[in-house]
Amino acid sequence: MKPTGATGIQPAELGFFSTLAGSGSLSAAARELGISTAAVSKRLSQMEARTGVALVSRSTRRMGLTPEGEVFLEHARRILADIDGLNELLGQARSSPRGLLRVNATLGFGRMHIAPLISRFARQHPGVEIQLQLSVHPPALTEDAYDVCIRFGEPPEARVIARRLAVNRRILCAAPAYLRQHGTPRAPRDLEQHHCIGIRQGDEAYGLWRLSTGRGTRLRTESVKTHGPLTTNDGEIAVRWALEGHGILLRAEWDVNRYLHSGRLVQVLPQYDTPAADIYAVYPQRHRLSSRVRTFVDHLAEAFGQAGDALRAPPGAG
């Protein structure tokens, strides 16, 4: 592609291209930017003409970035984040976080725990516009769709910042009525003979429960393939089914602890441990100087710290 007219990258094009790449299509970018699809296409063509390379491969339904477009996007995001951080360091944020904050969380946990904390944060920081997206599968951290993702388990990616918000363990539990009718498992293999409530979430192997005993060299883990007539991708529904006596459930203590305290659910195989699923706030390295990201993550950490203390307090304490 031969460049015409002015050559080189224009500063205003950095934000434009970042929005375009995160939208997935020209029409979606047009809606995000508040202009026509034709205007987006024209501006992109002008960029490609000035740089002399194709940045986007177009199709009738979607678009994708070329290798040159990927390089452009990586540098654009880093430059924009540095500018944002510099503005805040120079005091242009007026000591109060401002701007758009995009948050992602899982369905049930996001609805029950993250949404109320966002409500409190929004009242304390009216200059921040917050978009919360709940999803079954967490997005890839390499995407630019979100500024902060709430995840279970520490992410393997090294190019992100992961702050642990709370310790979280999964608990096997069932309603007393179910255990009276079907008996109480005494060993992991007993679960194969029970109705187990399935939850399809994330990339975890569906229906495969791992239970461990011992520590260090004495650690022993058993994997049990569970079965049952009820399956869902919504954790709240799974808890409701367990409360109604439909089977045994493996669920985070954050979601079932109040029912264990009240006696509506009873812990099963308490002598066995399940894989850790601590709660993390994850965000890209480029947001390390962002006041709105750091303030929001601090807000979550404080709230989860207080909630964790209350969660582990014995019933009636305080």
Side-chain angles (χ1 to χ4, degrees), residues 112 173-175 197-199 232 234-247 249-252 254-259 264-265:
M112 181 177 296
C173 56
I197 299 171
I199 303 178
T232 180
D234 189 299
E236 288 186 38
I237 292 174
V239 172
R240 191 178 312 143
W241 286 342
L243 291 168
E244 292 170 353
H246 287 287
L249 175 68
L250 178 62
R251 195 64 184 159
W254 287 84
D255 295 325
V256 300
N257 200 68
R258 63 187 183 277
Y259 301 121
R264 295 185 64 190
L265 292 176

Side-chain angles (χ1 to χ4, degrees), residues 38-58:
V40 171
S41 180
K42 180 179 179 180
R43 188 170 180 181
L44 174 60
S45 296
Q46 291 172 341
M47 287 178 59
E48 292 178 323
R50 281 195 297 271
T51 58
V53 296
L55 300 172
V56 172
S57 58
R58 303 164 178 82

Side-chain angles (χ1 to χ4, degrees), residues 171-180 182-185 191 194-197 209 238-239 241-251 256 259-260 263-269:
I171 292 176
L172 283 169
C173 56
Y178 173 86
L179 298 176
R180 283 195 299 268
H182 298 277
T184 299
L191 294 170
H194 280 267
H195 294 166
C196 295
I197 299 171
W209 293 356
V239 172
W241 286 342
L243 291 168
E244 292 170 353
H246 287 287
I248 297 173
L249 175 68
L250 178 62
R251 195 64 184 159
V256 300
Y259 301 121
L260 294 171
R264 295 185 64 190
L265 292 176
V266 176
Q267 189 171 357
V268 175
L269 298 175

Side-chain angles (χ1 to χ4, degrees), residues 16-30 33 37 40-41 44 48 55-66 69-70 73 77:
F16 165 78
F17 194 74
S18 180
T19 300
L20 175 63
S23 299
S25 68
L26 298 182
S27 58
L33 294 167
T37 302
V40 171
S41 180
L44 174 60
E48 292 178 323
L55 300 172
V56 172
S57 58
R58 303 164 178 82
S59 67
T60 55
R61 294 185 178 182
R62 289 189 60 82
M63 65 172 207
L65 299 185
T66 64
E70 294 282 359
L73 178 63
R77 289 173 175 170

Side-chain angles (χ1 to χ4, degrees), residues 87-99:
N87 283 333
E88 296 193 25
L89 287 175
L90 294 177
Q92 293 186 16
R94 297 182 178 85
S95 72
S96 178
R98 298 178 181 277

Side-chain angles (χ1 to χ4, degrees), residues 145-200:
Y146 305 102
D147 301 308
V148 180
C149 291
I150 312 303
R151 288 196 162 197
F152 293 90
E154 187 172 8
E157 293 87 345
R159 292 184 296 174
V160 297
I161 298 173
R163 180 172 176 182
R164 189 169 71 174
L165 301 175
V167 174
N168 179 50
R169 62 190 179 115
R170 293 187 176 101
I171 292 176
L172 283 169
C173 56
Y178 173 86
L179 298 176
R180 283 195 299 268
Q181 182 178 355
H182 298 277
T184 299
R186 303 300 177 189
R189 289 296 171 190
D190 294 345
L191 294 170
E192 297 175 351
Q193 310 304 318
H194 280 267
H195 294 166
C196 295
I197 299 171
I199 303 178
R200 295 180 181 269

